[in-house]
Amino acid sequence: MKDKPQKAFVKDVIRKTLLLAVALSLILVGLGYTTWAKGFALGSLASVLNFFMMASFLPRLLGVKRGRAEALSLFSIIIRFAVMGAALAVSISFPQTFSIYACVPGLFAVQVCLVVNHFLPDWLVAKASGSG
């Protein structure tokens, strides 16, 4: 049963991050900055995937022998860095399509949502259950 609140939290953070990414990308498209919108969306998707993988790997490390836990942690870090690096590599490889200057802040979209979720009053931020 302890797994349910964690899954609800992860789902809530991912939902809010994707809403932020879509909203900001639509604003950027409306202002005529299509490459910036695509870059921010790409970085945000990488950020969400990184957060999801981290949330998936962490419970598997509990109760595991130290050597195995260290190996799994190293594997997790390598995979998650590869995801983040891939987003940067795509934006560098296709500068006419994705802006690197928007991709980099997008990589911090989950962290921004976590900070906003922590500091804003509950009535401004919807809970995972959908009640405000």
Side-chain angles (χ1 to χ4, degrees):
M1 281 304 222
K2 288 169 42 176
D3 201 29
K4 295 255 185 215
Q6 177 206 1
K7 285 185 179 180
F9 174 73
V10 170
K11 185 178 177 181
D12 186 49
V13 170
I14 289 173
R15 182 180 54 84
K16 289 175 183 175
T17 304
L18 291 176
L19 283 172
L20 169 76
V22 168
L24 192 55
S25 294
L26 286 175
I27 290 170
L28 288 169
V29 167
L31 293 173
Y33 297 105
T34 308
T35 58
W36 282 67
K38 290 178 185 179
F40 185 78
L42 178 65
S44 297
L45 287 175
S47 181
V48 165
L49 185 56
N50 179 39
F51 180 71
F52 177 76
M53 288 189 304
M54 182 175 58
S56 298
F57 271 110
L58 283 177
R60 295 177 187 185
L61 298 175
L62 300 175
V64 178
K65 292 187 180 196
R66 182 180 174 138
R68 182 166 166 78
E70 288 175 355
L72 285 173
S73 294
L74 181 62
F75 176 72
S76 168
I77 290 170
I78 290 170
I79 294 297
R80 293 184 307 118
F81 279 9
V83 167
M84 305 289 258
L88 291 173
V90 167
S91 61
I92 289 171
S93 298
F94 302 102
Q96 294 83 13
T97 307
F98 301 99
S99 170
I100 184 86
Y101 301 111
C103 182
V104 171
L107 293 174
F108 294 97
V110 168
Q111 290 86 342
V112 168
C113 283
L114 287 170
V115 168
V116 167
N117 195 26
H118 179 74
F119 287 112
L120 282 183
D122 288 340
W123 59 272
L124 287 176
V125 181
K127 292 291 181 192
S129 64
S131 62

